[in-house]
Amino acid sequence: MKKLEQIPLDGDLPSPKGVALAILDLCRREDATFTDLAQLAQTDPALAGRLLRQANSAAMGGGRPVASVLEAIRRLGLGTVRNLALGFSLVDQHQNGPCQGFDYQSFWSHSLLMAIAVQQFGTTMNLGSGEELFACGLLAQVGRLGLATVYPAAYGRLLQDTDAHSPLVEREREHLHTDHNELTAALLTAWGIPGALVEPIYHHEAPEASGFLAGSRPQQLANVFHFARCIADLGLAPESEYGNRSAALLLLGGKLGLDADALDHAINELMPRWREWGNLLKVPAAALPTFAQMSAADARRPELSGTPAALRVLLVDDDATSRCIVESVLRDVLGHTVISAGTGAEALAVAVDAQPHIVITDWMMPGMSGLELTHALRATEWGQTMYLIMLTGLDAEDEIAEAFEAGVDDFLTKPVNVRTLRARLRAAGHYVQLLEAWERDRAQLKQFAAELAISNRRLEHTAMTDLLTGLPNRRAGTDALAKAWPAASRSQQPLSVLVLDIDYFKRINDTHGHAVGDKVLVAVAQELQRAARKNDAVCRWGGEEFLMICENTDLKAALLAADRLRRTVESMKIDAGGSPVRTSISIGVASREASMIDADSLVNAADRALYRAKESGRNRSCIIVQGQLRCLP
């Protein structure tokens, strides 16, 4: 990825202005406080309202709603407020612009839906702060806005080139010597977005080519940004593309562990929030059908192919003689199952129960005409898939055009010719068979997506679980720490960790054998899990070592918990084939301090305290405070 100064640009780039720019400057200062930031944000009522909206959105899981800007900023954290102010400022400034081929409103509508999707799925997968992910999702395509701003004429021509078949990124490189992904990454870096987020955003359009380690956090982030982008593409797609785009989303969802029902529920939850934020930011957000309805959209108009077979035909004609003749041909000559109706209203009631493949209806009937019956059927989901043939004595082009516009698929003139009827039914049979094949393919796709989702959930569980003890493994513990650390930083709540080690474990293995050693590990793990509080995270850190993460827990409470755990393990008797084995643990305890730069610093401090506990005779707890070690007697 290039730095911003390495990218050839001819004009001014999008940049924050006013209060947002002042917030960026303030956040660069080491002495910046929440109070300073709140005073600055309150000078822009729109920004203050949006920050409150985001803070209370994060609290929907059960947290107390916030009412003041200061409290909202405390909850969100300085970095997140900076990123949100940056995004909101760009939205306000660039509702329109000089680039004729660039749809500014659609761009922000797409970016907003992508932001909401990244926030929802990224939070579910524990990939970071939801508010920070929202801000990054909003800016994940900002390079496109940058190119439209710097090169309005050239970029407009490039976007309007309808004959171009190469991807947009390739055309950007060819004509502008850079591309929107490169510019996005450079802008985000210049604005202070962490590199751990910038790199996945840079690769999100083609995450499979990123080179990230499989299962790593960067790869998961790139996949989530890609998934969110595809959801945004669906949200702005024309109705004719719903089926293909939703099918692709089913497969992507399966890779993320979401089956069709879970994906349907999640996407349907996103849409109201998209509209709420759209009203807040003055960005268009359409009212869309449910995901299930969008997935079924392609069932309405398949192309004709295949071989005809026996069909269920609903015949509607108020002329009893004509109806009997056509019914006899359909049933006795062509071999189809026929249901008859004498009026349009009767036919509509029969169609609900019979669910015919084909409806053949007379046009001119008392009460509900054939055209009105067509409108009524096409207004229902099940009626949209039926093949409709209109019987008419008219041969006027205007009337025939009106019938096709109403949703009729074919027409026959009276009196009905048997050969012509056979040909029309053959075409209808092709339609029905293709429709059934499409429905089978869709069912198989949903089944495949469900199996893929289950498989990925199992793989994720296996990748995050220690097979011997059943506890989360080191990787899961690292992820839990990566989530707990920024949360504690934002909320200024205490965070403590306990590193626990089984004493003389090698002696147990040497004396009783590795099978007994495994029993001891399992027994201690189970006891730690039982003794942990609801919000504590316990994992096997490696070998005979365990890690406990205690959120919203100060050093005093963590030390009391450590001593309780130590005494519990000390009192255990583990069966070793008739002779009980006793064991004990040593524990190092540390709490988050201002001098610690990251979660690794916290764990390293607890490791030092554990080493001191071992040096001091084992079966004891030691703490570290401001670099000073102290052990309980």
Side-chain angles (χ1 to χ4, degrees):
M1 294 182 291
K2 294 181 181 179
K3 294 182 179 179
L4 193 56
E5 59 269 19
Q6 297 172 327
I7 297 177
L9 300 170
D10 293 345
D12 293 332
L13 285 163
S15 59
K17 291 181 172 60
V19 173
L21 181 60
I23 286 175
L24 258 68
D25 291 337
L26 177 63
C27 289
R28 291 190 184 103
R29 288 168 36 190
E30 292 185 3
D31 60 345
T33 66
F34 290 135
T35 302
D36 295 336
L37 195 57
Q39 290 175 346
L40 188 55
Q42 284 170 333
T43 64
D44 184 340
L47 174 60
R50 292 164 182 174
L51 292 177
L52 281 166
R53 168 74 174 77
Q54 186 61 279
N56 284 316
S57 172
M60 288 173 64
R64 178 177 58 84
V66 299
S68 74
V69 175
L70 176 59
E71 200 173 352
I73 290 173
R74 281 203 179 102
R75 174 167 290 175
L76 295 171
L78 294 178
T80 300
V81 170
R82 176 201 63 198
N83 297 343
L84 289 170
L86 168 64
F88 295 152
S89 173
L90 294 177
V91 173
D92 289 340
Q93 292 176 60
H94 297 279
Q95 294 281 350
N96 48 61
C99 184
Q100 295 298 318
F102 189 79
D103 189 333
Y104 292 85
Q105 291 289 294
S106 291
F107 170 79
W108 286 122
S109 182
H110 184 281
S111 297
L112 181 59
L113 182 51
M114 184 172 173
I116 294 166
V118 168
Q119 181 182 34
Q120 177 157 321
F121 292 105
T123 304
T124 301
M125 296 175 65
N126 293 325
L127 293 177
S129 156
E131 299 77 32
E132 187 172 45
L133 291 172
F134 175 93
C136 289
L138 190 64
L139 298 172
Q141 296 267 304
V142 73
R144 293 183 59 217
L145 176 66
L147 293 176
T149 304
V150 175
Y151 303 109
Y155 199 55
R157 289 194 298 271
L158 188 150
L159 293 173
Q160 291 175 326
D161 185 1
T162 55
D163 295 328
H165 299 293
S166 57
L168 178 61
V169 168
E170 291 181 11
R171 286 183 281 144
E172 289 170 348
R173 289 173 187 156
E174 179 183 354
H175 295 284
L176 306 176
H177 308 294
T178 187
D179 63 68
H180 63 265
N181 290 324
E182 197 170 64
L183 185 53
T184 293
L187 285 169
L188 296 182
T189 301
W191 290 332
I193 305 295
L197 289 167
V198 173
E199 197 168 3
I201 291 171
Y202 175 76
H203 290 287
H204 83 275
E205 290 187 0
E208 68 284 350
S210 66
F212 293 137
L213 184 66
S216 65
R217 184 171 180 268
Q219 188 212 38
Q220 290 178 303
L221 279 168
N223 285 336
V224 166
F225 276 101
H226 179 69
F227 187 55
R229 183 173 183 266
C230 291
I231 291 173
D233 289 344
L234 174 65
L236 271 70
E239 186 177 349
S240 60
E241 296 181 14
Y242 283 171
N244 288 336
R245 290 189 180 277
S246 58
L249 274 175
L250 276 172
L251 292 177
L252 287 173
K255 292 178 181 179
L256 296 179
L258 297 166
D259 59 23
D261 291 338
L263 183 59
D264 182 32
H265 178 73
I267 291 180
N268 293 343
E269 276 191 338
L270 292 174
M271 297 309 170
R273 292 171 54 206
W274 183 35
R275 291 192 291 275
E276 288 172 15
W277 272 107
N279 290 333
L280 195 63
L281 295 177
K282 298 180 176 61
V283 167
L288 297 174
T290 66
F291 180 70
Q293 290 170 332
M294 288 191 281
S295 298
D298 276 1
R300 299 179 186 179
R301 299 288 91 190
E303 298 298 325
L304 302 181
S305 66
T307 306
L311 304 166
R312 289 191 308 278
V313 181
L314 171 59
L315 176 64
V316 191
D317 196 335
D318 63 315
D319 184 337
T321 303
S322 175
R323 188 171 69 245
C324 286
I325 293 171
V326 176
E327 182 179 345
S328 176
V329 172
L330 288 169
R331 184 182 57 248
D332 301 332
V333 178
L334 302 180
H336 299 300
T337 301
V338 184
I339 308 103
S340 295
T343 66
E346 181 187 352
L348 195 58
V350 169
V352 175
D353 295 325
Q355 294 286 297
H357 298 114
I358 299 169
V359 177
I360 302 176
T361 179
D362 190 19
W363 187 324
M364 307 301 291
M365 294 186 294
M368 178 181 285
S369 69
L371 205 59
E372 290 169 331
L373 174 61
T374 299
H375 281 296
L377 288 172
R378 292 303 192 213
T380 67
E381 187 174 343
W382 47 267
Q384 290 169 356
T385 61
M386 293 175 183
Y387 194 87
L388 290 172
I389 299 175
M390 186 71 77
L391 295 174
T392 177
L394 305 173
D395 196 18
E397 288 186 4
D398 289 345
E399 283 78 6
I400 292 171
E402 182 184 4
F404 280 113
E405 287 173 5
V408 168
D409 294 290
D410 205 346
F411 74 97
L412 280 167
T413 55
K414 290 183 171 182
V416 175
N417 178 279
V418 175
R419 187 175 177 183
T420 304
L421 179 61
R422 185 193 298 273
R424 295 292 201 269
L425 266 292
R426 182 176 292 276
H430 295 164
Y431 171 93
V432 170
Q433 287 205 328
L434 184 64
L435 181 60
E436 289 176 345
W438 184 93
E439 289 173 343
R440 284 195 301 271
D441 289 344
R442 172 162 172 75
Q444 289 173 356
L445 174 63
K446 289 183 73 173
Q447 179 64 26
F448 174 72
E451 291 171 357
L452 183 62
I454 292 169
S455 175
N456 275 283
R457 284 198 291 267
R458 285 174 179 165
L459 286 172
E460 183 178 358
H461 180 265
T462 301
M464 293 291 193
T465 303
D466 176 59
L467 296 180
L468 175 64
T469 64
L471 288 179
N473 60 16
R474 187 184 186 104
R475 178 178 168 186
T478 301
D479 285 355
L481 270 172
K483 182 182 178 184
W485 180 267
S489 300
R490 288 195 307 273
S491 62
Q492 298 297 305
Q493 295 290 337
L495 173 66
S496 298
V497 298
L498 283 62
V499 180
L500 311 94
D501 187 272
I502 299 176
D503 296 328
Y504 302 112
F505 185 71
K506 184 176 183 300
R507 183 185 299 173
I508 294 172
N509 275 334
D510 292 343
T511 303
H512 301 280
H514 287 281
V516 172
D518 287 350
K519 276 189 175 183
V520 170
L521 280 169
V522 171
V524 171
Q526 290 173 345
E527 200 58 48
L528 293 177
Q529 188 79 314
R530 276 194 293 267
R533 299 172 307 173
K534 181 180 178 181
N535 294 325
D536 293 339
V538 184
C539 70
R540 186 178 177 190
W541 200 235
E544 64 272 24
E545 201 168 77
F546 299 87
L547 176 75
M548 181 177 285
I549 304 166
C550 305
E551 295 189 65
N552 198 17
T553 303
D554 59 20
L555 188 61
K556 182 179 179 182
L559 186 56
L560 290 172
D563 203 51
R564 186 180 69 252
L565 289 171
R566 186 186 62 77
R567 294 179 187 279
T568 299
V569 173
E570 184 182 27
S571 65
M572 290 171 55
K573 293 180 182 179
I574 302 162
D575 181 33
S579 58
V581 174
R582 289 184 175 274
T583 189
S584 62
I585 55 174
S586 299
I587 307 174
V589 184
S591 285
R592 179 178 173 275
E593 297 176 356
S595 60
M596 295 177 179
I597 59 172
D598 54 24
D600 287 342
S601 305
L602 178 59
V603 176
N604 289 338
D607 263 331
R608 288 174 57 200
L610 171 64
Y611 186 73
R612 173 59 62 88
K614 293 245 179 221
E615 276 187 332
S616 303
R618 293 179 169 81
N619 192 18
R620 63 182 58 214
S621 303
C622 287
I623 62 172
I624 183 166
V625 184
Q626 301 294 327
Q628 300 298 311
L629 291 160
R630 178 184 164 213
C631 290
L632 289 184

